[in-house]
Amino acid sequence: MQLGECPLWVPDESALYWIDIAGQAVHRHDTDSGTHQSWPLASEPGCIARCAGGGLVVAMRSGLALLDTASGALTPIASAPYDVSTTRFNDGRCDDAGRLWTGTIYEPRDHPLGSLFCIERGVLRDAAKPVTVSNGVAFSRDYRTLYHADTAAHRVMAYDFDLASGKIGDGRLFKQFSMDKSQDYGGRPDGAAVDSEDAYWCAMYEGGRVLRLSRFGDVLQEIALPVRCPTMLAFGGTDLRTLYITTARHNRPAEELARHPLSGCVLTLRVDVPGRIEPAYLR
């Protein structure tokens, strides 16, 4: 991949889906047969989620659409609610009521002009959580907490969340990572997932590692990776104990890619604590 993102395990298919943002495609790997498929897109995807009844919902720069993975057909759901010359959809995932939460990235990266959006049965609304680079969307095990990261600010927030209404309440700082690149720089928070013990796993972009954090933000585990830029992770396999990690090579220095030839690959490792099956988007 150029910029791998948003791994998604679909248990009914024993398959892993993910996207290549810069490569403008959705990918699928069948873990039983080892076969690979891909679907080219007309604009950059930011995230995907499985749809109840089949297929995927894809949040692209141009807007949201349903991807029929049997035919490759794209059916528009909603247009982009922003200026596509400066902004695009990024990381996202579904809650247990079938809503898709997907944030945006403001590409000049000099002001917090991105936000977090919710699409519920085809209706798109702005959750009014300003960020520069939206990432790290995840939900606690009981769906009472919504996690949301601003990668540019090196910060993860935790918000009170009401699953029945989809309303976001008060927020608190969950984890602030160092912004000082001269010392103790361990990367900045990118994509995330919550496991079955309610721990928040976070890919640390430019940190060459993933972290497992308690619900209080304490580091429970750190896993070093053979790449510098992991982007997001997902739990999969029959026991949900295989961790899939997407990574990036797009716009990275040549010397870094020479040192880390697996940059851009999808990595896997086994973990002790299983994850959870991701909910589907309800049309």
Side-chain angles (χ1 to χ4, degrees):
M1 303 297 107
Q2 295 182 53
L3 180 49
E5 261 283 8
C6 203
L8 172 68
W9 176 255
V10 178
D12 293 346
E13 303 177 22
S14 295
L16 181 78
Y17 288 83
W18 70 92
I19 58 175
D20 185 346
I21 297 176
Q24 297 185 197
V26 174
H27 292 263
R28 178 184 185 272
H29 172 72
D30 187 310
T31 59
D32 291 334
S33 67
T35 56
H36 169 260
Q37 291 175 270
S38 63
W39 296 265
L41 301 170
S43 67
E44 303 100 312
C47 71
I48 52 174
R50 62 191 183 96
C51 287
L56 303 173
V57 58
V58 187
M60 298 176 289
R61 181 186 292 272
S62 56
L64 292 114
L66 295 173
L67 172 63
D68 185 331
T69 52
S71 67
L74 277 173
T75 303
I77 303 174
S79 299
Y82 46 72
D83 180 352
V84 297
S85 68
T86 61
T87 308
R88 64 169 174 80
F89 278 121
N90 205 40
D91 175 287
R93 67 172 7 93
C94 289
D95 66 25
D96 208 36
R99 308 177 189 94
L100 175 61
W101 297 83
T102 175
T104 54
I105 172 174
Y106 181 62
E107 291 174 317
R109 304 189 188 212
D110 54 4
H111 291 90
L113 297 180
S115 190
L116 180 65
F117 290 84
C118 173
I119 183 161
E120 183 173 8
R121 296 187 181 273
V123 178
L124 187 65
R125 61 179 171 89
D126 189 343
K129 298 300 178 188
V131 292
T132 302
V133 178
S134 178
N135 258 313
V137 178
F139 294 92
S140 62
R141 191 171 52 183
D142 60 9
Y143 286 92
R144 292 182 179 177
T145 301
L146 183 155
Y147 297 99
H148 186 213
D150 186 348
T151 300
H154 297 215
R155 180 173 58 237
V156 183
M157 296 293 292
Y159 293 95
D160 294 339
F161 182 70
D162 182 75
L163 181 63
S165 66
K167 292 182 179 180
I168 301 174
D170 294 337
R172 61 179 173 85
L173 179 64
F174 176 67
K175 189 72 173 179
Q176 178 68 58
F177 295 95
S178 173
M179 298 184 70
D180 185 356
K181 293 189 177 183
S182 64
Q183 58 181 355
D184 299 326
Y185 179 61
R188 50 193 187 269
D190 204 317
V194 172
D195 67 24
S196 59
E197 291 185 351
D198 227 15
Y200 181 88
W201 288 76
C202 184
M204 298 299 293
Y205 191 87
E206 287 190 336
R209 59 185 183 147
V210 295
L211 297 177
R212 184 176 186 251
L213 306 176
S214 76
R215 59 191 181 93
F216 303 107
D218 301 315
V219 177
L220 301 174
Q221 186 178 4
E222 176 181 350
I223 300 174
L225 301 173
V227 298
R228 187 155 187 246
C229 294
T231 57
M232 194 173 174
L233 38 81
F235 295 93
T238 55
D239 58 1
L240 296 177
R241 288 180 51 230
T242 297
L243 192 67
Y244 292 99
I245 306 166
T246 48
T247 71
R249 64 183 294 109
H250 183 62
N251 288 338
R252 301 306 303 171
E255 60 272 21
E256 176 184 312
L257 298 179
R259 290 196 310 271
H260 304 292
L262 291 180
S263 298
C265 293
V266 180
L267 309 178
T268 72
L269 59 89
R270 295 288 289 167
V271 294
D272 295 329
V273 178
R276 303 179 298 165
I277 295 174
E278 292 294 334
Y281 171 72
L282 296 178
R283 306 182 190 185

